[in-house]
Each structure stands twice: as structure tokens, then as C-alpha cells.
Amino acid sequence: MQFTQFGTTGLNVSRLCLGCMTYGEPSRGKHAWTLPEESSRPLIKQAIDAGINFFDTANSYSDGSSEEIVGRVLGEYLKRDQYVLATKVFFPLSNLKGGLSRASIMQSIHDSLKRLGTDYVDLLQIHRWDYDTPIEETLEALNDVVKAGKARFIGASSMHAAQFRQALDLQQQHGFASFVSMQDQYNLIQREEEKEMHPLCLERNIAVLPWSPLARGRLTRPWGESTARSVSDEVIPTLYGDTEEADAKIAERVAKIAEDHGVPRAQIALAWILSKPVVTAPIIGASRARHLEDAIAALDVVLSIEEIAELEMAYQPHQATGFK
């Protein structure tokens, strides 16, 4: 496993972060495709055995059951100082209204720590921007969470670059704990973050944690082929529904270069994202052992300048999603 420094912090994280949205009781929350604990355990253990030390979940995943499963498994196999644990706050749960008010943040971190079975998380991220709460209230509450030792660092996810810059500037102005990371949607067919967000992250030395690096699996199989998740995941059409023709051409190029290298397509798509200097660790999902095997193998795939240019050639801008 390869490791890297996490932005401006002293954390040393694996170049791959295991995204734990897949792990949660299907009967809880809105995602029937998630894996219950008995199916999740072997995959989390496989990641641990491969040297992955960075795990990302959220309070809202499967109505809290993702945190419960991840917390139990990590606690069984690792000491607390052997892994970096990230969670999020914003979306509502069955017992929490949601949002980023002071009350919501304080209740959320209390509940998350209880579910995770730990005294602190390494990274608490705001899952989205809250348009109904003054940003100053959110930032002060997050600062208090850090001061209380319940989160070592704070991060953000999926917002406009102007919003992120505003938040960073306010944190500096008030002497609050500052965001050290940005978790954003980034892959070969969704590259809008290259325009403003990624230059800002490079300027401020912000760790970038791309979610959906394989475009919900669309870059890993023949174009148009479906899976149980792709059929039931209601988010996919909102993410990748407006540039099908250009996206298909990119997927074809992924397939061609994968054939040239003699590796699965997933390895090429991940090798491309890992080649970007702004990227700290992509968030990889794994519902099968081979998904982890491909992600780990991608660390050793080196793409030429010509191959990278070929992969990027057909790109057409997508509409930014999830920002409101």
C-alpha cells in the first residue's frame, strides 16, 4: 500500500480510502443494495489486510447502521491509532432533523461517536452546504467539536468553490479550526471540479478525496450494461444523464487502454485519477473482493501522457449536481 500526507495535517493516509456507504443494513435507510454486517465484514477485513488505513462513512448511511458496522469491525481488528476514520453530518436520520445548525452538529457527533464506538473521529465532514443556517453558526460549532476533542480535523464535501473559499476565509478570520479536506465528485466523465475547486485546493493545500471515482461503475463495464445497484440507485440519472454520447466515448477509450495494459477497466479509470497531483485519496466502494483487488492493483498502473490525453479527449462538461 502507498501512503501520503493528508493535506496540512500530520495524518498519514493510504492512497485509497474505503468508502463505507456500501456497508449498512438494507432494511434501514433508502438503499436496498447495501450489504448487511455478515457480508460487509470480509470486505472491510480485506481492506485492512491490504494496508488501507483510511475509512469514510456518514451518519446518514443506512440510517446510522454503516457507522455501527464499520465501528465494530475496525475496533475488532485494529487499535484506534492504527486507522483514520471519517464521517459526515448534514442529511437527516430517523431521529435527527439534519442540517448544519449548532444543535444538529452537536447531536450528530454525539450519536456518531456512540455508533462508531470511539471517543473521536479523525475527520468530521459537512456533507453538503446548509442554505438555511448561517455559515458562521456552522463554523463555530465545528470549531467547538474540534476543541472538545471529538474530531481531530474537519472537512467539507460537494459545494461551490466560492462557498468553500468563503468558509475557509471566515475560519481564518475568526481563528476557527479550518477545513483540511474536500470530498467532491470527480472522475473521467465528471471533471467540473478542475475549473475552480481543485485550483483552490492546490492553493490552500487542501486534501482532495474524490467520491464516485468510477462514475458509479459506469467506467468499469461495457456502456449500457446494468447492475442491480445501477438499476435501483436513483441518484445515477441525476449525476450522469446529460452527456451520454461523450461519456460513452470516454468509456470506450478506457476499455481500449485497459486492453492494451491487459488489466480490468477499473484499474485504468483509477490510475487516471491517481495521476492527478491534487488528489490525495479517491473514495473507493467495494461490494465484491475483486473491486478491492482492482483498486489496489491500480496503484501500480502508470499511464503515459498520450494515454491520459486520449482518455480526456471526449470530455464534455456536466451540470454541477448536489449543490442546490
Side-chain angles (χ1 to χ4, degrees), residues 203-216:
E203 173 192 329
R204 303 291 182 99
N205 198 12
I206 300 291
V208 172
L209 314 173
W211 59 266
S212 196
L214 300 177
R216 287 295 214 271

Side-chain angles (χ1 to χ4, degrees), residues 125-281:
Q125 302 156 104
I126 58 171
H127 215 154
R128 292 294 185 272
W129 185 273
D130 186 350
Y131 288 85
D132 298 319
T133 300
I135 184 61
E136 292 84 356
E137 177 181 339
T138 296
L139 299 180
E140 184 174 13
L142 291 170
N143 182 65
D144 288 345
V145 169
V146 174
K147 287 172 63 178
K150 296 180 179 181
R152 296 173 71 183
F153 301 101
I154 54 173
S157 176
S158 296
M159 63 181 62
H160 294 292
Q163 293 169 327
F164 193 40
R165 184 183 292 276
Q166 177 192 4
L168 290 169
D169 289 346
L170 283 170
Q171 287 168 330
Q172 184 176 34
Q173 177 183 335
H174 292 289
F176 292 158
S178 184
F179 290 128
V180 300
S181 63
M182 167 53 63
Q183 187 172 151
D184 56 359
Q185 184 191 181
Y186 184 52
N187 55 58
L188 268 166
I189 61 178
Q190 175 54 283
R191 293 166 48 203
E192 291 305 286
E193 300 291 71
E194 292 177 353
K195 293 180 180 177
E196 296 181 0
M197 182 60 80
H198 287 177
L200 173 59
C201 290
L202 283 171
E203 173 192 329
R204 303 291 182 99
N205 198 12
I206 300 291
V208 172
L209 314 173
W211 59 266
S212 196
L214 300 177
R216 287 295 214 271
R218 289 163 76 87
L219 295 171
T220 68
R221 54 183 179 264
W223 196 257
E225 184 178 292
S226 62
T227 64
R229 175 175 177 178
S230 68
V231 171
S232 62
D233 192 337
E234 298 176 355
V235 177
I236 288 178
T238 68
L239 298 179
Y240 308 114
D242 59 343
T243 54
E244 286 275 339
E245 186 175 345
D247 295 350
K249 290 179 181 178
I250 294 171
E252 289 171 7
R253 291 189 168 100
V254 171
K256 174 185 175 297
I257 293 174
E259 184 177 358
D260 291 343
H261 281 256
V263 301
R265 304 176 195 201
Q267 293 187 28
I268 297 302
L270 279 173
W272 174 82
I273 208 166
L274 286 162
S275 74
K276 300 301 178 180
V278 72
V279 171
T280 300

Side-chain angles (χ1 to χ4, degrees), residues 39-194:
S39 301
S40 300
R41 281 180 164 273
L43 294 165
I44 299 172
K45 180 62 163 54
Q46 181 184 356
I48 292 170
D49 291 342
I52 292 175
N53 75 340
F54 191 10
F55 302 87
D56 175 80
T57 184
N59 63 337
S60 60
Y61 292 167
S62 299
D63 200 37
S65 65
S66 175
E67 288 184 327
E68 294 167 359
I69 292 170
V70 171
R72 279 194 291 267
V73 178
L74 293 180
E76 287 181 21
Y77 293 108
L78 296 171
K79 295 179 180 179
R80 184 61 189 89
D81 61 357
Q82 292 179 316
Y83 60 93
V84 176
L85 181 58
T87 193
K88 308 181 193 75
V89 53
F90 173 75
F91 289 111
L93 281 75
S94 57
N95 67 334
L96 185 69
K97 181 180 178 182
L100 298 177
S101 68
R102 181 179 186 84
S104 291
I105 289 172
M106 293 305 179
Q107 186 64 54
S108 175
I109 187 62
H110 175 272
D111 294 347
S112 286
L113 294 178
K114 184 176 180 180
R115 286 189 292 263
L116 289 164
T118 183
D119 294 330
Y120 68 95
V121 292
D122 298 281
L123 182 68
L124 177 64
Q125 302 156 104
I126 58 171
H127 215 154
R128 292 294 185 272
W129 185 273
D130 186 350
Y131 288 85
D132 298 319
T133 300
I135 184 61
E136 292 84 356
E137 177 181 339
T138 296
L139 299 180
E140 184 174 13
L142 291 170
N143 182 65
D144 288 345
V145 169
V146 174
K147 287 172 63 178
K150 296 180 179 181
R152 296 173 71 183
F153 301 101
I154 54 173
S157 176
S158 296
M159 63 181 62
H160 294 292
Q163 293 169 327
F164 193 40
R165 184 183 292 276
Q166 177 192 4
L168 290 169
D169 289 346
L170 283 170
Q171 287 168 330
Q172 184 176 34
Q173 177 183 335
H174 292 289
F176 292 158
S178 184
F179 290 128
V180 300
S181 63
M182 167 53 63
Q183 187 172 151
D184 56 359
Q185 184 191 181
Y186 184 52
N187 55 58
L188 268 166
I189 61 178
Q190 175 54 283
R191 293 166 48 203
E192 291 305 286
E193 300 291 71
E194 292 177 353

